[in-house]
Amino acid sequence: MISPLFLSALLFSLSFFRIFVDAEELIKFAEIGTCLPDEFYNVNLLQCSKCSHLANLVPTEDGFSCQCNAASVIVPTVGGEFPRCQKCPEDHEPSFDQRECVPCANLVTTTEEPNSTAVSLCASCPANHISVSTEWSGLLSQTPRCVACAPGFKARENLGAFGLCEPCNLRSSLDVSANCSCPVKSHELLRPPDEPPLCVPKSSLVNWPVTEKLAQVQFDTETVTSQLIKDRLRPSAILCQLGNRTACQFVANLCALNLYNDDDSGPSACKTFRDAKRTLAGAVVSGTEARPWLLYGDGDAPSVLAKRKLSPLKFTLTRNSNSSVLHLRAVKFSIEGKLIGLESGGASLLTLCPLDEEEQGLRFGAKYQISCLVSARKFLSQTTTLQDLYLEATLADGSEKLYPIPLLIRNMRGNDAVDSANWQFVRRMFLVDNELARTSKENKIPRIIRYLKSCKVKVTAQSHENAGQILPPLIELTYAEINQGQIEENSALKVSFEVTWEMEKTPTYSVQVSAAVLGSAGIVWAGIAAWSQSRRDGRAQGATIDLLTLVRLLLLACGPVANAFLLVSGVSGLLTLLLYKGQSVPHTLLPTEEHETLLRDLVISAAALKLVEVLHLLWMQTKVDLFFMDWERPKIASLPTPSNPVSIWRTYLVANEWNEIQATRRTSVAFQLLATTFLLQIIGIEHWATPDPDLHTSVQRNFGEGKSLALRFAVGLLVYIVVYAAQWIFITGFFERYVSNCVQQFIDLCSVANISVFIMSHENYGYYLHGRSAHGSADTDMQTLGEQLKREQEDLCAHRGLVPGCEQQTFEMAVPPKMRAFSRRVTAPLDTSAGHRSRRLMSSSTKNGVHWQGNADRIAQAYDTMNKFLAAFFQHAIRELDYEIKEKAFLEKLLDIELADSTDKAILYADDGSSFDRVLFHGAEFTLFSFDLALFCCSEMIFADFLLAAITTALAAKTLIVLRQIGGRNNVARKTLVDERFLI
């Protein structure tokens, strides 16, 4: 025969084993109210457990505990999870209070309680006596008498018709409670509010001495003596040690409300759970089962976050699918430790911000963010409740299980560290605490209200073969406090809630490596360009490296490095947009905050470097040497009339046209920004950046205030590039071919005006535009000019090219140093940077050009000399200074360098017909476009507004054009010897 003691031990072992197994895997749970008639609801396990019939136990009326059955009596004892029950003999039955077994009333047919007939007493009975005025049968006694209450009982305070002795309202051992008094010498009487007093041996209170510090709670601004802790902590801690579930839950609540502050210098609520820490891996269970799971093990945070126990749970991105939403369950407790119930929900469980029914914020892969202002009075009116959070898992077979979600309270010591190994995870949280800081029961306003200021849910999704699965979620909590002054003023406090998702393996490192590699390649490219420009400036053919060369290298490196940063960040953002939107199986999620910070840093750096590149471009273009060479010769008149001078108006006409086109962009910035803003904000493409897997063209409130920097960057970048590509195709494919091409029109104007343009962008390098008329003369009347154009159209005259028989008019030039030396000698008298003030040709009122008053002869002589020199040079009329025409090799075109030696003879490289526009905005379109794009994206990242980004870009582009016009105009007046007064 198996003994009851063995069965009890076996039952306990099986219960412990179940705890161990469940701690290792997903937790199976049961709904409240679904237990069988012989079961009670176990709050710690969230399951139904049997009341042992061997121990004569049955469920209580509320179903949350066990009590003695109707045939048993309660054996007096101290503590214990359930009462100790003893079955009465067959000829006996329990008394009405189940304290004793009494003989059966064999002669009485019923066992009704005495009625409530009033009894008149002549005199009061002695202390601890009752007046017996009726017999057990219910008849009035002929001789009323005073009867002393038995040990362990006391007279009821409010005597009715029946005098009754009731059990002592004192929880203690039998020998102490027999006299209904607590011995002062050996015991201490603890009086928790709203509960029977507790008489505890002083030996049990060694760890709970009565000190001022016991009830003190340290808040951020002050230390408060809590009436709640003062009244209830010591008795509840003792009852918890004795196995009382509700008392343990209350102590756990105090620990959570105090943000798990475990002060080693004295007793605290959290010390009760110091040795009861456990994690899912290990199931370290210490103490009795009554203590709830409150703390994870020290240093277990990394292993908890890396667990893959949620592998049976699969998620999708399909809209309106049950598997596309994370469902939470909260086990809620009152502050007294009583179970309120299991509540399902989403974001509403984690924030006090008002939410719509659809606005739950826990859709898989969707970033969610919301913030609101909550009044202090609302915090005061809230009921303080605490909750343990679980993730509800519906498996393939339809069964439901729960997975405990770890909480990280940032206010706790050590939890602000970057290394997760120093984190301490906990299980219980609250939204508002307006009870702990009350210093007395009469206080309507507590000294401090602690509230949940920020809640951030972080979920990591697995990738590759485990797509659709997640690692354990983490909820980060940050609490703040309100003082009495703020409560009385009803101040509004900001509360925020956020849900972020990330992949187990993020592309951040790949982006960093790509940016570093391409940035290094850009520096190498800049090195080649710096070497090439050093050769073009004649600095020992580029063989020396000095400070000027290093500065030039840094300036030239800004552009390629900025292009590399912009390319890497743009590809990363566009891949995120293209792969994230529309996927059903989650392979890619939104970038992490670290990744978005990297993208923002790359774009801002690219914009800054692009600004340096554009300013350097502006400086270089406004400092080029320029000369308009007139091929026209004076017409010989009949004697004795002298020859007619050549008109200067053709030169002025070409100079004005050059001045007009030098700040002209190839594309329209106004159209670009207007079209981009129209598509983004009017059509609604900016809503593609909503941080969820679907595409929208309208505002989506389901995701709160959440914004994805990477998606907004990608959408803005995509729309800007598409609009620019469409504009570029239209301009190059149609407008410049059939409507207007300012560069080609300028070349035609030079040919008609018989003017060539000689441009030196560097010391020994520049461009030549051959504008010599095929008719020999252009200074003629309208009829003759019309006939010349007609002959040229009918191919009845020579070609316009520099070489007879060809149409090549534009060239790149590499000239020898002696050619530049001659040009300096010619313009030396006009140098405004040398000589005394009286010899300068610049007047104080005309700082930007040559002052002609009193210097007309010298200016005209210098112009005529330079014009004749260049004409002779291009006609091969100077033996010591000649040139040859050749094509650039492929490598020279690719690297934009000249490898041939031009020390003795100039070299003219035939180009594609418009190489000289590099000194114009027209030829620097890519540099200007990339600057606009970088500035647009950078401004949007800073202001989070596409319209404001467009306005910023438009202002910057207009500023550059104005600066280019002013600088270019001054340069034309200064370098071409054209009077600035004639530049329109």
Side-chain angles (χ1 to χ4, degrees):
M1 181 177 179
I2 302 176
S3 64
L5 181 61
F6 176 79
L7 290 176
S8 299
L10 179 60
L11 181 63
F12 178 80
S13 300
L14 291 175
S15 178
F16 180 85
F17 179 75
R18 184 172 65 246
I19 296 173
F20 181 88
V21 173
D22 289 347
E24 287 288 347
E25 302 294 342
L26 293 171
I27 297 176
K28 182 179 180 181
F29 75 103
E31 298 285 354
I32 297 176
T34 60
C35 296
L36 298 177
D38 60 342
E39 295 178 340
F40 75 100
Y41 194 85
N42 192 318
V43 176
N44 288 347
L45 299 179
L46 303 180
Q47 297 180 16
C48 295
S49 301
K50 288 186 177 296
C51 291
S52 175
H53 68 279
L54 298 178
N56 302 309
L57 294 173
V58 293
T60 57
E61 292 184 4
D62 59 9
F64 294 118
S65 186
C66 297
Q67 64 183 4
C68 295
N69 59 29
S72 302
V73 294
I74 302 173
V75 178
T77 184
V78 177
E81 182 180 2
F82 306 124
R84 182 180 175 187
C85 307
Q86 182 177 352
K87 188 176 182 180
C88 292
E90 293 183 357
D91 57 346
H92 287 69
E93 62 183 359
S95 61
F96 72 94
D97 55 3
Q98 286 190 297
R99 295 289 178 174
E100 294 182 5
C101 292
V102 297
C104 295
N106 296 329
L107 301 177
V108 181
T109 57
T110 62
T111 59
E112 295 180 353
E113 295 290 339
N115 57 33
S116 59
T117 305
V119 177
S120 299
L121 299 176
C122 296
S124 299
C125 292
N128 206 30
H129 285 64
I130 62 172
S131 176
V132 179
S133 58
T134 59
E135 301 292 347
W136 282 103
S137 61
L139 297 175
L140 292 175
S141 176
Q142 297 297 323
T143 58
R145 60 191 183 277
C146 291
V147 179
C149 290
F153 291 82
K154 66 177 182 178
R156 179 184 288 179
E157 294 179 0
N158 299 323
L159 296 178
F162 303 99
L164 290 177
C165 290
E166 61 181 1
C168 296
N169 191 22
L170 179 67
R171 292 175 290 178
S172 183
S173 58
L174 180 60
D175 57 339
V176 174
S177 61
N179 297 323
C180 290
S181 62
C182 187
V184 180
K185 294 183 178 180
S186 60
H187 291 67
E188 184 176 341
L189 185 63
L190 303 179
R191 298 181 180 274
D194 304 325
E195 291 187 15
L198 178 65
C199 185
V200 182
K202 291 184 178 181
S203 59
S204 300
L205 296 173
V206 175
N207 296 327
W208 297 94
V210 180
T211 61
E212 289 290 335
K213 196 172 184 179
L214 178 64
Q216 290 181 352
V217 180
Q218 181 63 51
F219 291 93
D220 292 341
T221 56
E222 61 178 309
T223 300
V224 177
T225 300
S226 173
Q227 187 69 30
L228 183 66
I229 296 179
K230 185 177 181 180
D231 291 342
R232 304 193 59 165
L233 175 57
R234 296 179 75 223
S236 298
I238 297 301
L239 288 176
C240 180
Q241 293 176 2
L242 299 175
N244 187 293
R245 292 178 181 273
T246 303
C248 287
Q249 296 290 355
F250 173 73
V251 177
N253 289 346
L254 290 182
C255 181
L257 292 176
N258 202 16
L259 300 186
Y260 301 88
N261 183 17
D262 188 5
D263 191 358
D264 294 332
S265 61
S268 64
C270 294
K271 280 191 175 180
T272 306
F273 302 91
R274 176 182 293 176
D275 299 328
K277 297 180 180 179
R278 57 175 172 171
T279 63
L280 294 181
V284 181
V285 182
S286 175
T288 63
E289 188 185 347
R291 283 184 289 184
W293 177 18
L294 198 63
L295 301 168
Y296 285 79
D298 295 332
D300 286 342
S303 60
V304 171
L305 296 178
K307 291 295 179 184
R308 299 180 182 269
K309 298 300 182 182
L310 292 172
S311 56
L313 195 59
K314 293 280 188 178
F315 292 94
T316 65
L317 293 174
T318 305
R319 189 177 181 86
N320 300 325
S321 172
N322 189 51
S323 60
S324 66
V325 181
L326 270 66
H327 300 280
L328 300 183
R329 283 289 186 101
V331 182
K332 290 199 167 186
F333 298 90
S334 66
I335 192 172
E336 294 82 10
K338 297 179 181 179
L339 177 67
I340 297 177
L342 269 72
E343 183 177 338
S344 300
S348 58
L349 297 174
L350 301 171
T351 181
L352 289 176
C353 289
L355 303 172
D356 296 338
E357 293 183 359
E358 299 180 357
E359 196 174 3
Q360 291 300 319
L362 294 179
R363 182 181 175 185
F364 186 87
K367 184 178 180 181
Y368 180 85
Q369 185 177 4
I370 188 173
S371 62
C372 63
L373 295 177
V374 181
S375 65
R377 292 291 180 181
K378 183 176 181 180
F379 288 127
L380 183 61
S381 63
Q382 292 288 318
T383 301
T384 301
T385 59
L386 295 97
Q387 58 188 10
D388 298 339
L389 292 175
Y390 296 85
L391 176 65
E392 185 176 336
T394 303
L395 305 184
D397 58 359
S399 61
E400 294 184 351
K401 292 188 177 182
L402 298 179
Y403 187 87
I405 301 177
L407 308 177
L408 178 67
I409 299 180
R410 288 295 186 180
N411 305 71
M412 291 177 59
R413 181 175 53 191
N415 281 358
D416 56 350
V418 178
D419 187 5
S420 60
N422 298 323
W423 294 349
Q424 171 65 67
F425 285 163
V426 298
R427 288 285 299 120
R428 189 160 295 184
M429 62 165 290
F430 61 93
L431 298 181
V432 179
D433 169 29
N434 50 27
E435 297 290 341
L436 193 63
R438 294 185 186 269
T439 56
S440 66
K441 296 180 180 179
E442 291 75 19
N443 288 351
K444 295 183 179 180
I445 299 179
R447 297 282 294 276
I448 298 290
I449 291 180
R450 185 175 275 159
Y451 68 97
L452 182 60
K453 178 181 180 181
S454 171
C455 178
K456 181 182 292 187
V457 181
K458 292 185 175 181
V459 188
T460 300
Q462 302 184 43
S463 55
H464 304 300
E465 66 276 1
N466 296 324
Q469 300 178 13
I470 64 172
L471 296 177
L474 174 64
I475 299 180
E476 293 185 6
L477 308 174
T478 302
Y479 288 92
E481 299 171 0
I482 316 172
N483 56 37
Q484 279 187 330
Q486 292 175 301
I487 299 173
E488 293 172 354
E489 295 173 0
N490 197 24
S491 301
L493 289 309
K494 185 177 181 180
V495 175
S496 64
F497 174 74
E498 183 179 1
V499 181
T500 60
W501 294 80
E502 64 181 52
M503 297 298 295
E504 186 177 9
K505 297 180 180 179
T506 63
T508 304
Y509 179 74
S510 301
V511 173
Q512 292 174 337
V513 172
S514 301
V517 171
L518 292 181
S520 301
I523 294 176
V524 173
W525 182 269
I528 297 175
W531 173 76
S532 174
Q533 291 195 15
S534 295
R535 284 177 52 88
R536 292 172 177 177
D537 281 339
R539 302 181 63 81
Q541 294 299 315
T544 59
I545 299 178
D546 52 11
L547 181 60
L548 180 61
T549 304
L550 293 177
V551 172
R552 175 176 289 166
L553 173 62
L554 293 177
L555 293 174
L556 293 176
C558 290
V561 173
N563 295 336
F565 288 173
L566 196 60
L567 176 64
V568 171
S569 57
V571 170
S572 176
L574 291 175
L575 285 177
T576 299
L577 176 66
L578 297 178
L579 298 179
Y580 176 70
K581 293 290 184 176
Q583 58 180 341
S584 57
V585 178
H587 294 284
T588 299
L589 295 181
L590 294 177
T592 62
E593 184 177 350
E594 177 188 5
H595 188 85
E596 289 189 340
T597 301
L598 176 61
L599 291 182
R600 183 174 62 249
D601 293 344
L602 288 176
V603 173
I604 293 177
S605 300
L609 293 174
K610 276 293 176 182
L611 178 61
V612 176
E613 181 189 23
V614 169
L615 293 178
H616 180 244
L617 172 71
L618 196 64
W619 172 263
M620 293 296 294
Q621 287 192 355
T622 55
K623 296 299 179 182
V624 297
D625 289 338
L626 186 68
F627 189 81
F628 298 112
M629 184 176 62
D630 192 354
W631 290 96
E632 197 75 17
R633 293 293 177 261
K635 295 181 179 179
I636 300 176
S638 59
L639 295 176
T641 305
S643 58
N644 297 324
V646 176
S647 173
I648 195 65
W649 289 109
R650 290 174 296 100
T651 303
Y652 282 1
L653 175 64
V654 173
N656 275 283
E657 184 64 23
W658 175 270
N659 186 52
E660 181 180 344
I661 69 171
Q662 60 182 342
T664 301
R665 292 279 300 269
R666 197 167 186 179
T667 57
S668 172
V669 179
F671 173 81
Q672 173 71 37
L673 295 175
L674 287 174
T676 301
T677 306
F678 175 80
L679 292 175
L680 287 171
Q681 296 202 313
I682 304 301
I683 302 300
I685 296 181
E686 69 171 336
H687 300 297
W688 287 7
T690 304
D692 73 294
D694 301 320
L695 289 176
H696 309 281
T697 55
S698 59
V699 178
Q700 300 295 309
R701 296 190 58 192
N702 294 351
F703 306 97
E705 305 167 359
K707 293 182 179 180
S708 172
L709 181 143
L711 289 183
R712 289 185 64 85
F713 166 61
V715 170
L717 182 73
L718 178 63
V719 173
Y720 197 98
I721 291 178
V722 169
V723 171
Y724 186 83
Q727 185 180 186
W728 179 266
I729 292 173
F730 171 78
I731 289 175
T732 58
F734 174 77
F735 188 81
E736 290 185 346
R737 288 188 178 185
Y738 305 108
V739 180
S740 175
N741 186 336
C742 64
V743 173
Q744 186 59 48
Q745 288 177 346
F746 180 75
I747 296 175
D748 293 338
L749 177 63
C750 291
S751 297
V752 172
N754 205 15
I755 301 292
S756 292
V757 183
F758 185 81
I759 307 167
M760 296 300 295
S761 59
H762 296 80
E763 182 71 16
N764 298 324
Y765 175 84
Y767 307 94
Y768 174 61
L769 169 57
H770 186 65
R772 188 172 187 178
S773 174
H775 310 282
S777 176
D779 195 3
T780 183
D781 56 17
M782 181 181 297
Q783 181 179 0
T784 305
L785 182 61
E787 292 177 355
Q788 290 177 353
L789 293 177
K790 182 178 180 181
R791 293 180 59 195
E792 189 171 356
Q793 184 177 4
E794 295 175 353
D795 200 15
L796 299 177
C797 61
H799 294 86
R800 293 182 177 181
L802 176 62
V803 179
C806 74
E807 295 287 348
Q808 186 67 41
Q809 290 183 267
T810 57
F811 302 88
E812 297 179 53
M813 296 188 304
V815 301
K818 53 186 176 182
M819 184 174 182
R820 290 288 286 174
F822 178 81
S823 64
R824 285 196 184 91
R825 288 198 302 270
V826 173
T827 58
L830 309 179
D831 188 4
T832 61
S833 63
H836 299 288
R837 180 179 300 270
S838 61
R839 296 181 57 191
R840 293 186 179 179
L841 301 183
M842 299 279 289
S843 72
S844 59
S845 60
T846 311
K847 296 182 179 180
N848 299 323
V850 178
H851 184 55
W852 281 71
Q853 185 176 359
N855 301 291
D857 293 340
R858 283 194 293 170
I859 295 173
Q861 182 180 359
Y863 177 84
D864 186 61
T865 304
M866 191 67 181
N867 195 79
K868 291 179 179 179
F869 166 72
L870 292 177
F873 169 75
F874 285 107
Q875 289 179 325
H876 300 281
I878 303 176
R879 181 179 302 176
E880 296 81 7
L881 190 61
D882 201 358
Y883 68 91
E884 61 177 337
I885 300 176
K886 59 187 302 186
E887 292 282 344
K888 268 191 173 183
F890 173 76
L891 183 62
E892 291 178 314
K893 291 181 179 179
L894 179 64
L895 300 179
D896 190 26
I897 59 176
E898 298 80 36
L899 299 178
D901 185 14
S902 60
T903 305
D904 299 324
K905 179 184 291 188
I907 301 176
L908 270 62
Y909 297 96
D911 61 12
D912 57 357
S914 61
S915 63
F916 71 92
D917 67 355
R918 295 181 188 177
V919 298
L920 308 173
F921 266 9
H922 187 278
E925 180 61 32
F926 175 77
T927 299
L928 298 173
F929 156 71
S930 57
F931 169 71
D932 293 341
L933 177 61
L935 182 60
F936 179 80
C937 296
C938 175
S939 301
E940 197 285 324
M941 287 184 174
I942 295 175
F943 303 117
D945 190 301
F946 286 113
L947 179 60
L948 194 55
I951 294 174
T952 304
T953 306
L955 291 176
K958 183 62 177 178
T959 302
L960 288 177
I961 291 175
V962 171
L963 292 177
R964 181 65 180 88
Q965 288 175 338
I966 296 174
R969 178 187 177 91
N970 297 338
N971 188 62
V972 170
R974 186 169 56 250
K975 299 294 180 61
T976 62
L977 305 182
V978 174
D979 194 340
E980 187 183 13
R981 293 171 294 181
F982 293 98
L983 294 178
I984 302 173

